[in-house]
């Protein structure tokens, strides 16, 4: 039985998509079968895996509308063991279209239930908001990874996200866990980066992953080539960080089985 993990933070620019794409690729390298669901209308995870967004006919939009079944929306990617349900700008409209539907928060959960036995991990790249799309992802997920950038406003908005997670646990998904908080964009030369790490570890202790994702030029370049960091530069610091993160995630889940 696979595990569904949402990667969420309503703050933009914290490394959500970078984390989703590169964690998926790293788990694939570890011979885990992975499905990435792009639930962000910006479709950056889709283009980050080398799929031309304009050519997307079927994807998350049809999945949430229930006009296609999940298997019809899946694309193979060039990353070993990684499949994708792509996004398109059309996804912007889904929040309005679902608003009157019964069980609107459960549309994704119902649509992907049949896939849980096919994959080891299903990762959902969430939009930078706490709207209906993110709510669907959190309702469908077994757990959530929260990327936090090592910058000045890092903890701003985190309380809001944690409250949303609590209300999802209370109303829609009592089994939702916090998989962990992932520190991203860390620069060891900056005192501020070190202060944020200290602060987050002090407040959240065991909830924080040991792995820290460092600032890395190669990591920033990879998406413009439509490649994960593993494919773009496997010897880079960014690749090493995400492989460590994938190993940590797998080990943690083996312990809890």
């Amino acid at each position: 039985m696979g595990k569904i993990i949402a990667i969420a933070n309503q703050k933009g620019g914290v490394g959500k998509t970078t984390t989703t794409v590169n964690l998926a690729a790293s788990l694939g390298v570890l011979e885990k079968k992975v499905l990435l669901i792009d639930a962000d209308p910006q479709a950056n995870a889709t283009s980050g895996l080398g799929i031309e967004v304009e050519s997307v006919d079927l994807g998350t939009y049809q999945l949430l509308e229930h006009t296609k079944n999940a298997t019809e929306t899946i694309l193979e990617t060039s990353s070993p063991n990684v499949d994708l349900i792509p996004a398109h700008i059309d996804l912007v409209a889904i929040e309005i279209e679902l608003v009157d539907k019964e069980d609107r928060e459960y549309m994704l959960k119902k649509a992907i239930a049949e896939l849980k036995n096919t994959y080891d991990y299903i990762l959902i790249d969430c939009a930078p908001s706490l709207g209906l799309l993110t709510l669907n992802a959190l309702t469908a997920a077994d757990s959530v990874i929260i990327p936090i950038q090592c910058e000045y406003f890092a903890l701003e908005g985190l309380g809001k996200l944690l409250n949303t997670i609590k209300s999802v646990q209370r109303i829609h998904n009592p089994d939702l866990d916090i998989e962990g908080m992932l520190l991203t964009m860390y620069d060891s030369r900056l005192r501020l980066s070190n202060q944020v790490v200290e602060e987050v570890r002090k407040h959240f202790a065991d909830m924080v992953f040991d792995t820290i994702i460092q600032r890395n030029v190669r990591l920033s370049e990879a998406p413009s080539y439509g490649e994960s960091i593993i494919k773009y530069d496997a010897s880079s610091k960014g690749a090493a960080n995400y492989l460590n993160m994938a190993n940590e995630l797998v080990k943690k889940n083996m312990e809890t089985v």
Side-chain angles (χ1 to χ4, degrees):
M1 182 75 104
K3 184 164 198 180
I4 302 173
I5 304 175
I7 288 89
N9 189 329
Q10 80 274 23
K11 254 174 92 66
V14 298
K16 269 193 307 292
T17 301
T18 303
T19 293
T20 314
V21 167
N22 293 309
L23 179 57
S26 300
L27 287 166
V29 167
L30 298 177
E31 301 195 337
K32 301 295 175 191
K33 200 158 168 28
V34 184
L35 174 67
L36 193 162
I37 300 174
D38 193 346
D40 181 353
Q42 294 173 80
N44 290 337
T46 299
S47 60
L49 279 171
I51 304 295
E52 186 62 57
V53 175
E54 293 310 311
S55 69
V56 170
D57 292 324
L58 301 176
T60 316
Y61 180 81
Q62 286 76 17
L63 196 64
L64 286 161
E65 272 202 326
H66 290 191
T67 52
K68 295 287 176 189
N69 68 39
T71 48
E72 292 176 277
T73 62
I74 294 171
L75 297 176
E76 269 185 39
T77 73
S78 58
S79 278
N81 301 315
V82 179
D83 289 342
L84 169 74
I85 295 180
H88 188 274
I89 191 66
D90 288 357
L91 200 50
V92 165
I94 203 77
E95 304 231 343
I96 299 156
E97 288 173 26
L98 289 183
V99 99
D100 299 328
K101 295 261 174 87
E102 205 180 320
D103 287 344
R104 59 179 187 262
E105 296 90 353
Y106 297 91
M107 294 308 228
L108 186 61
K109 186 185 177 79
K110 288 175 182 169
I112 62 174
E114 60 178 299
L115 299 176
K116 267 195 108 167
N117 294 325
T118 312
Y119 293 94
D120 297 309
Y121 291 93
I122 297 175
L123 304 182
I124 309 171
D125 186 29
C126 295
S129 75
L130 294 176
L132 201 45
L133 268 173
T134 299
L135 200 51
N136 260 274
L138 294 174
T139 302
D142 298 309
S143 66
V144 55
I145 289 174
I146 305 169
I148 300 172
Q149 87 283 36
C150 297
E151 285 172 7
Y152 188 64
F153 293 115
L155 299 178
E156 197 185 63
L158 194 57
K160 206 172 173 188
L161 177 62
L162 293 173
N163 285 338
T164 299
I165 291 168
K166 271 189 196 135
S167 89
V168 170
Q169 287 166 329
R170 199 173 59 249
I171 304 164
H172 304 297
N173 184 0
D175 300 324
L176 181 67
D177 282 328
I178 293 178
E179 189 74 43
M181 297 179 179
L182 176 68
L183 291 155
T184 62
M185 302 179 193
Y186 173 74
D187 186 337
S188 58
R189 297 165 302 181
L190 300 179
R191 200 170 84 209
L192 178 63
S193 270
N194 293 303
Q195 282 172 342
V196 171
V197 171
E198 216 172 289
E199 193 80 357
V200 172
R201 289 207 191 282
K202 189 174 82 186
H203 283 299
F204 299 105
D206 294 346
M207 285 165 73
V208 187
F209 282 103
D210 292 335
T211 304
I212 295 179
I213 310 298
Q214 291 163 290
R215 272 200 182 281
N216 179 243
V217 175
R218 309 297 275 167
L219 206 48
S220 316
E221 289 171 356
S224 61
Y225 291 89
E227 292 179 351
S228 72
I229 190 61
I230 306 297
K231 201 164 175 224
Y232 182 63
D233 186 353
S235 64
S236 67
K237 197 174 276 184
N241 288 167
Y242 276 109
L243 280 165
N244 282 345
M245 159 78 184
N247 272 308
E248 190 178 343
L249 181 69
V250 170
K251 189 164 176 275
K252 184 180 176 189
N253 281 290
M254 278 166 68
E255 285 165 5
T256 54
V257 167

